[in-house]
Every structure is written in structure tokens, then in C-alpha cells.
Amino acid sequence: QVQLAESGGGAVQAGGSLRLSCAAPKNTYSCMGWFRQPTGKEREGVAAIGSDGRTLYADSVKGRFTISQDNAKNTLYLQMDSLKPEDTAMYYCAADADLTIDDVVVTHTVPYFDYLGQGTQVTVSS
């Protein structure tokens, strides 16, 4: 069982920044990503990165969030800048063993990857 562990969440004012990290056991993942779930709402994928480094973003975060990975450290990151109150949610790391970045519709596919983390809360106040 693959266990992903997120960290870096917290409370920040609108316009601020946070960087989320996800420690992933050494493995061959074809695709990794981040999704979020606001309280009482559906899951929404926000970003994905393929094994070739190509990235995808949801329109709601494009230009503000950056996904990256450090293969040497087996860590996935999500740099979140210009945060808005509507970004408030539980954020989850996800990884898939089969899907490639070409298979991904970021908003709908990432939340259903093979492996999911436990989540880290991000709260943005106005």
C-alpha cells in the first residue's frame, strides 16, 4: 500500500503564499497531482505532472499555482501564490501508476488516481 504524506498547509491572508509538500515512497508513478475539497463541496483536481515533466492546471489556479517534483527527494510540491479565499480547502496529493499526462483531465481525473494522501488544510482569509 502506497502512503502519501502531505505537509505545508496552514492559514494565510489573501494574496499570500504557501508551499505544500508530498512525500511519496520511491516508486514509478506515471503521473502525480494535487486536488482539493472545500467543506461540503466536490473534489476538484488543481494540478498534475507527468513523468516527462509536463504539467496541467485547472483554470481556477492557472498562473497562481505551480506543481513540481524532486525525484531525488521523492517529493511533490505545490507552490501556491496570490491565494484567494476561494482556495480554502483540504488539499490532497495523488499519484497514479498507469495514467499518463495525456490521459488526464486535471479537474476530474486527479481526485481518482490510484493513491491518495490524507490531506492538509489550507485556509485563506480575506
Side-chain angles (χ1 to χ4, degrees), residues 2-109:
V2 173
Q3 292 185 333
L4 308 176
E6 302 93 339
S7 61
V12 65
Q13 289 190 326
S17 298
L18 284 172
R19 188 176 81 156
L20 306 183
S21 300
C22 172
K26 187 172 176 62
N27 207 329
T28 303
Y29 306 111
S30 56
C31 202
M32 299 189 73
W34 293 91
F35 69 95
R36 64 189 181 187
Q37 187 168 23
T39 302
K41 296 186 178 180
E42 297 293 318
R43 296 178 175 185
E44 175 196 33
V46 297
I49 185 167
S51 57
D52 59 1
R54 284 186 291 155
T55 57
L56 291 173
Y57 295 94
D59 287 344
S60 58
V61 306
K62 201 172 292 183
R64 300 188 298 120
F65 290 12
T66 304
I67 187 171
S68 62
Q69 58 188 13
D70 184 332
N71 292 325
K73 296 181 179 180
N74 299 321
T75 302
L76 181 73
Y77 301 101
L78 185 69
Q79 177 66 41
M80 305 186 296
D81 299 318
S82 302
L83 282 162
K84 304 175 181 179
E86 52 263 44
D87 295 318
T88 295
M90 188 71 80
Y91 282 73
Y92 298 86
C93 171
D96 203 275
D98 300 305
L99 294 176
T100 70
I101 197 69
D102 294 316
D103 299 320
V104 172
V105 176
V106 64
T107 52
H108 293 81
T109 312

